[in-house]
Amino acid sequence: MSVDPDWIAVDWGTSNLRVWAMSSADTVLDETTSDQGMGGLDRSEFEPALRGLIEDWLSKSPLVLCCGMVGARQGWAEAAYMTVPCAPLSERPSPAPTDLDVRILPGLKQTAPPDVMRGEETQIAGFQALNPGWDGVLCLPGSHTKWVEISAGEVVSFQTFLTGELFASLSDHTVLRHSVNAESLDDEAFRTAVSDAIARPERLASGLFALRAAHLLEDLGPEEARARLSGLLIGAELAAARPYWLGRAVAVIGAGGLSRLYTSALAAQGVPAIQADATRMTLAGLIKARHQLKVSL
């Protein structure tokens, strides 16, 4: 079937590239993905990677609207950062160096304390579009988890935690790799470790090595060890992010498994959190950015 989109939505992360052919009514006509994320490309390879997915959609030279790490300093073209407090995506996107009509959405930055985001601001804008008037805190789990304060339609402040990347590094590249080589997690062990880390975050480093010792001396199983590793790291994050989630409305935006861990950890602290699908929020944010761009033209 021939696809002739009015515009093209692009989510270009570090590891993956996802594109949607969009109608003038913002319905999805087609979609496809590749593993050609920003992290594996040099600057000259971005246009071929994109064309490889959308070549059949270019008969009308449609607008191509991109979010994510494609706009990083190491990406196709560095896009601006907007300074919080501000409404996400409220500034014009930056053009990419190509004959195609490619625009890259701006990220967000915070000056005190210093922090940045790229890609998550589009999910935030999408959540706001689907939940108008919502005030509270958004948690966006991932390699670099974000906690974001939303008020009166603006991102007021945010804080990033390296929790996901720490988990991957510890489980794959340290002595703990011998103890946590499991695919699934023990739920009860996870919740207990979260509570332990929130109560005593200063004991995180010793608690991590205790996983190895318990494996050697007490036959701690890999599912429980992996659960405790995840729980200790997420619990330490929750302890540091307490000013964000304590007594606030919280929504978690992400993929199923990791989001469920965060909602479970928050529920154990008496904080009910709603879940929102990251892909749906990203596409809603790109649609919102397209509407804003049409108004400004």
Side-chain angles (χ1 to χ4, degrees), residues 4 26 37 67 118 159 162 164 229 236 267:
D4 197 12
D26 297 323
C67 71
R118 284 205 188 276
Q159 189 171 8
L162 207 68
L229 172 60

PDB file of all heavy atoms in Angstrom, residues 4 26 37 67 118 159 162 164 229 236 267:
ATOM      1  N   ASP A   4       1.484   8.234   1.738  1.00  0.00           N
ATOM      2  CA  ASP A   4       1.793   9.600   1.320  1.00  0.00           C
ATOM      3  C   ASP A   4       1.522  10.544   2.492  1.00  0.00           C
ATOM      4  O   ASP A   4       0.496  11.217   2.548  1.00  0.00           O
ATOM      5  CB  ASP A   4       0.924   9.965   0.116  1.00  0.00           C
ATOM      6  CG  ASP A   4       1.445  11.176  -0.636  1.00  0.00           C
ATOM      7  OD1 ASP A   4       2.590  11.591  -0.353  1.00  0.00           O
ATOM      8  OD2 ASP A   4       0.705  11.701  -1.479  1.00  0.00           O
ATOM      9  N   ASP A  26      -3.347  13.818  11.905  1.00  0.00           N
ATOM     10  CA  ASP A  26      -2.459  13.290  12.954  1.00  0.00           C
ATOM     11  C   ASP A  26      -2.760  11.845  13.318  1.00  0.00           C
ATOM     12  O   ASP A  26      -2.545  11.426  14.465  1.00  0.00           O
ATOM     13  CB  ASP A  26      -2.509  14.183  14.203  1.00  0.00           C
ATOM     14  CG  ASP A  26      -2.005  15.581  13.927  1.00  0.00           C
ATOM     15  OD1 ASP A  26      -1.054  15.716  13.143  1.00  0.00           O
ATOM     16  OD2 ASP A  26      -2.577  16.550  14.479  1.00  0.00           O
ATOM     17  N   GLY A  37      20.607   4.138  16.165  1.00  0.00           N
ATOM     18  CA  GLY A  37      20.507   5.237  17.102  1.00  0.00           C
ATOM     19  C   GLY A  37      21.697   6.173  17.008  1.00  0.00           C
ATOM     20  O   GLY A  37      22.719   5.873  16.371  1.00  0.00           O
ATOM     21  N   CYS A  67      12.647  14.358  17.616  1.00  0.00           N
ATOM     22  CA  CYS A  67      12.981  14.602  19.018  1.00  0.00           C
ATOM     23  C   CYS A  67      14.049  13.604  19.446  1.00  0.00           C
ATOM     24  O   CYS A  67      14.291  12.600  18.779  1.00  0.00           O
ATOM     25  CB  CYS A  67      11.748  14.490  19.911  1.00  0.00           C
ATOM     26  SG  CYS A  67      11.108  12.809  20.115  1.00  0.00           S
ATOM     27  N   ARG A 118      17.054  15.558  26.854  1.00  0.00           N
ATOM     28  CA  ARG A 118      16.695  15.537  25.435  1.00  0.00           C
ATOM     29  C   ARG A 118      15.803  14.323  25.200  1.00  0.00           C
ATOM     30  O   ARG A 118      16.192  13.200  25.514  1.00  0.00           O
ATOM     31  CB  ARG A 118      17.923  15.426  24.544  1.00  0.00           C
ATOM     32  CG  ARG A 118      18.686  16.711  24.414  1.00  0.00           C
ATOM     33  CD  ARG A 118      19.489  16.753  23.117  1.00  0.00           C
ATOM     34  NE  ARG A 118      20.369  17.903  23.068  1.00  0.00           N
ATOM     35  CZ  ARG A 118      19.992  19.107  22.679  1.00  0.00           C
ATOM     36  NH1 ARG A 118      18.734  19.318  22.316  1.00  0.00           N
ATOM     37  NH2 ARG A 118      20.853  20.110  22.651  1.00  0.00           N
ATOM     38  N   GLN A 159      15.452  16.740  38.060  1.00  0.00           N
ATOM     39  CA  GLN A 159      16.672  16.132  38.581  1.00  0.00           C
ATOM     40  C   GLN A 159      16.871  14.791  37.899  1.00  0.00           C
ATOM     41  O   GLN A 159      15.932  14.012  37.745  1.00  0.00           O
ATOM     42  CB  GLN A 159      16.584  15.952  40.102  1.00  0.00           C
ATOM     43  CG  GLN A 159      17.886  15.519  40.756  1.00  0.00           C
ATOM     44  CD  GLN A 159      17.824  15.554  42.282  1.00  0.00           C
ATOM     45  OE1 GLN A 159      16.764  15.758  42.862  1.00  0.00           O
ATOM     46  NE2 GLN A 159      18.953  15.352  42.922  1.00  0.00           N
ATOM     47  N   LEU A 162      21.460   8.589  37.547  1.00  0.00           N
ATOM     48  CA  LEU A 162      22.133   7.646  36.655  1.00  0.00           C
ATOM     49  C   LEU A 162      21.778   6.194  37.004  1.00  0.00           C
ATOM     50  O   LEU A 162      22.521   5.272  36.692  1.00  0.00           O
ATOM     51  CB  LEU A 162      23.649   7.854  36.753  1.00  0.00           C
ATOM     52  CG  LEU A 162      24.504   7.486  35.550  1.00  0.00           C
ATOM     53  CD1 LEU A 162      24.242   8.416  34.379  1.00  0.00           C
ATOM     54  CD2 LEU A 162      25.990   7.549  35.928  1.00  0.00           C
ATOM     55  N   GLY A 164      19.681   3.736  36.038  1.00  0.00           N
ATOM     56  CA  GLY A 164      19.634   2.653  35.059  1.00  0.00           C
ATOM     57  C   GLY A 164      21.000   2.280  34.525  1.00  0.00           C
ATOM     58  O   GLY A 164      21.318   1.091  34.357  1.00  0.00           O
ATOM     59  N   LEU A 229      19.596  -5.829  44.033  1.00  0.00           N
ATOM     60  CA  LEU A 229      20.414  -4.812  43.370  1.00  0.00           C
ATOM     61  C   LEU A 229      19.533  -3.698  42.822  1.00  0.00           C
ATOM     62  O   LEU A 229      19.794  -2.503  43.044  1.00  0.00           O
ATOM     63  CB  LEU A 229      21.222  -5.449  42.235  1.00  0.00           C
ATOM     64  CG  LEU A 229      21.980  -4.483  41.312  1.00  0.00           C
ATOM     65  CD1 LEU A 229      22.984  -3.645  42.101  1.00  0.00           C
ATOM     66  CD2 LEU A 229      22.672  -5.252  40.188  1.00  0.00           C
ATOM     67  N   ALA A 236      17.756   4.142  46.810  1.00  0.00           N
ATOM     68  CA  ALA A 236      18.659   5.275  47.040  1.00  0.00           C
ATOM     69  C   ALA A 236      18.218   6.479  46.217  1.00  0.00           C
ATOM     70  O   ALA A 236      18.298   7.630  46.675  1.00  0.00           O
ATOM     71  CB  ALA A 236      20.091   4.874  46.685  1.00  0.00           C
ATOM     72  N   ALA A 267       4.476   2.790  45.622  1.00  0.00           N
ATOM     73  CA  ALA A 267       3.302   2.292  46.347  1.00  0.00           C
ATOM     74  C   ALA A 267       3.690   1.810  47.738  1.00  0.00           C
ATOM     75  O   ALA A 267       2.936   1.995  48.708  1.00  0.00           O
ATOM     76  CB  ALA A 267       2.631   1.177  45.553  1.00  0.00           C
TER      77      ALA A 267
END
